[in-house]
Amino acid sequence: MEEVKQKKKVILSGIQPTGIFTLGNYIGAVKNWAPMQDEYNCAYMLADLHAITVRQDPKAFREQTMTCYALLLACGLDPEKSIIFIQSHVPAHAELGWILECYTQFGELSRMTQFKDKSAKHADNVNAGLFTYPSLMAADILLYQADLVPVGADQRQHLELTRDIATRFNGIYGNVFKIPEGFIPKAGAKIMSLAEPTKKMSKSDENPNACISILDKPEVIIKKFKRAVTDSEAEVCYRDGKDGINNLMTIYSTVTGKTFDEITAEFAGHGYGDFKLAVGEAVAEHLRPIREVFDRLMADKAYLESCYRKGAEMASRISARTMDKVKKKIGFVL
Ligand code: AQP
């Protein structure tokens, strides 16, 4: 009997080049991308169009985008296996983004917690792009007819909205978009700030002790963990209300593979000082190979450019198919 070959599922995810990735970006998202490359057809993008919802310094932004591209490769993304591109190199994102804004309700966007958080954080620049960000994110995903979208838990709400927009569009025009599923890792879905463990760890946090950058030197990583905010008990265990310790346990568990019970047993009778040191050392060791590959890649800008040009070409080809379909369905003259 002839073997029926199953088509590989499509994955799309992205990250904003708004700074060096934090341990939160890494554990919640990027770390999970490389292992998917054999099983799925993957497209990963640097979301630079999303990044300008917050004011960026042009020179720093350009450099940061290159740095972040190198970081994606250093985290194991392989341009021979996946499409790794820069969002603004593929104009279809902005084009479909606008179209989908017209199929997204004001009320829906008003309910997005990221909009509320970011507009409070950047009160001097609450621009329309910050508000319509989820429609552009929907375009990013739907252009590639993605089956799965691996993101951190903080993006769950945007993904739900993407599904609603796609379902609404399909309801009007027939089967245009694949309805994507979220792929949110169970462990480490949301890494919290080391300084305020009830807030998520963010690249743009102004307090350098709040977040670990994946390029921080080992001694810096260890120092930041030593300063991490915990509680006044002295028990390493995962429990409601122990936000700081829960966060450190999640991080330690992700980089060592140990379960929470194993961690509790390992540190029974020890103070928090020993635990924090162990977490710092484990994270520094885990990130060492990424730093090393990153340094090599940054020394070869021509190679990086050839990768992102090729990525843009492939992404443009795939997204053009969806754009054609969308335009025909809406009734644009082609
Ligand atoms: N703290 C986190 N824990 C787990 N996952 C996280 N992600 C971000 N922070 C955490 C995941 O990282 C991916 C890329 O995020 P992004 O750069 O597109 O935007 P963001 O969520 O706004 O990330 P930051 O670090 O907070 O950036 P800034 O400070 O620029 O706003 C997403 O999959 C996200 O889930």
Side-chain angles (χ1 to χ4, degrees):
M1 207 169 71
E2 202 181 307
E3 195 189 336
V4 181
K5 263 205 179 157
Q6 258 212 301
K7 232 177 122 212
K8 281 186 183 177
K9 290 198 164 170
V10 175
I11 280 193
L12 181 284
S13 201
I15 184 160
Q16 299 182 76
T18 39
I20 307 293
F21 306 161
T22 67
L23 191 62
N25 298 133
Y26 176 72
I27 292 178
V30 183
K31 176 179 183 288
N32 310 302
W33 295 352
M36 297 175 152
Q37 296 178 106
D38 290 318
E39 203 179 329
Y40 301 99
N41 284 329
C42 300
Y44 294 117
M45 64 165 197
L46 280 182
D48 57 349
L49 295 175
H50 285 278
I52 62 163
T53 52
V54 171
R55 195 77 68 233
Q56 305 291 338
D57 170 73
K59 184 166 178 282
F61 188 39
R62 199 170 296 119
E63 283 167 6
Q64 230 155 254
T65 304
M66 286 298 283
T67 305
C68 289
Y69 195 88
L71 271 179
L72 288 180
L73 303 196
C75 289
L77 298 195
D78 180 349
E80 295 300 322
K81 292 181 182 168
S82 304
I83 304 175
I84 309 163
F85 67 103
I86 298 172
Q87 186 185 26
S88 64
H89 290 182
V90 183
H93 287 256
E95 204 177 359
L96 185 61
W98 166 255
I99 292 174
L100 295 185
E101 278 175 32
C102 303
Y103 296 82
T104 311
Q105 298 303 305
F106 183 87
E108 289 175 315
L109 294 173
S110 310
R111 284 193 288 276
M112 297 293 115
T113 52
Q114 178 173 291
F115 172 68
K116 291 182 201 162
D117 291 349
K118 288 208 172 171
S119 44
K121 211 159 141 190
H122 305 278
D124 55 336
N125 183 21
V126 184
N127 58 73
L130 203 56
F131 188 63
T132 59
Y133 183 112
S135 306
L136 179 58
M137 179 166 157
D140 301 333
I141 296 166
L142 301 177
L143 267 178
Y144 300 89
Q145 305 288 354
D147 295 278
L148 289 174
V149 187
V151 285
D154 57 310
Q155 291 293 334
R156 196 189 300 270
Q157 204 186 20
H158 287 168
L159 209 57
E160 270 314 309
L161 182 54
T162 297
R163 290 165 55 86
D164 291 345
I165 297 170
T167 306
R168 180 173 304 141
F169 197 94
N170 286 353
I172 304 169
Y173 300 108
N175 217 1
V176 179
F177 296 126
K178 170 84 59 64
I179 308 295
E181 298 287 337
F183 187 94
I184 295 169
K186 277 190 206 78
K190 195 165 179 183
I191 301 301
M192 312 309 277
S193 151
L194 297 187
E196 284 175 81
T198 49
K199 266 177 48 186
K200 83 162 183 163
M201 187 182 281
S202 258
K203 289 186 220 82
S204 54
D205 202 314
E206 271 147 29
N207 178 355
N209 289 321
C211 73
I212 302 288
S213 135
I214 65 169
L215 292 180
D216 276 345
K217 298 239 159 39
E219 56 278 17
V220 174
I221 295 178
I222 291 169
K223 201 156 88 193
K224 286 183 182 174
F225 275 109
K226 276 189 184 159
R227 289 192 183 144
V229 168
T230 48
D231 53 58
S232 54
E233 299 169 8
E235 203 189 349
V236 177
C237 68
Y238 197 99
R239 204 170 48 222
D240 266 0
K242 287 174 77 73
D243 299 313
I245 289 294
N246 293 351
N247 191 35
L248 296 184
M249 286 183 78
T250 303
I251 293 171
Y252 192 60
S253 165
T254 318
V255 296
T256 61
K258 293 177 186 170
T259 64
F260 289 162
D261 286 345
E262 285 166 347
I263 298 170
T264 298
E266 185 181 348
F267 293 96
H270 290 256
Y272 284 164
D274 290 349
F275 177 50
K276 289 185 193 179
L277 179 64
V279 181
E281 286 176 345
V283 168
E285 205 40 51
H286 186 89
L287 296 177
R288 184 185 301 280
I290 297 178
R291 269 194 315 276
E292 288 170 358
V293 178
F294 172 80
D295 288 340
R296 281 206 300 279
L297 285 165
M298 283 305 276
D300 192 352
K301 296 271 165 46
Y303 172 70
L304 290 178
E305 183 173 346
S306 71
C307 293
Y308 66 68
R309 296 265 173 250
K310 180 173 140 198
E313 221 173 90
M314 292 162 76
S316 299
R317 213 173 324 128
I318 297 174
S319 53
R321 280 187 232 140
T322 304
M323 273 320 294
D324 274 0
K325 216 163 152 184
V326 166
K327 285 179 177 170
K328 263 188 216 137
K329 292 284 188 185
I330 292 179
F332 287 146
V333 174
L334 296 180

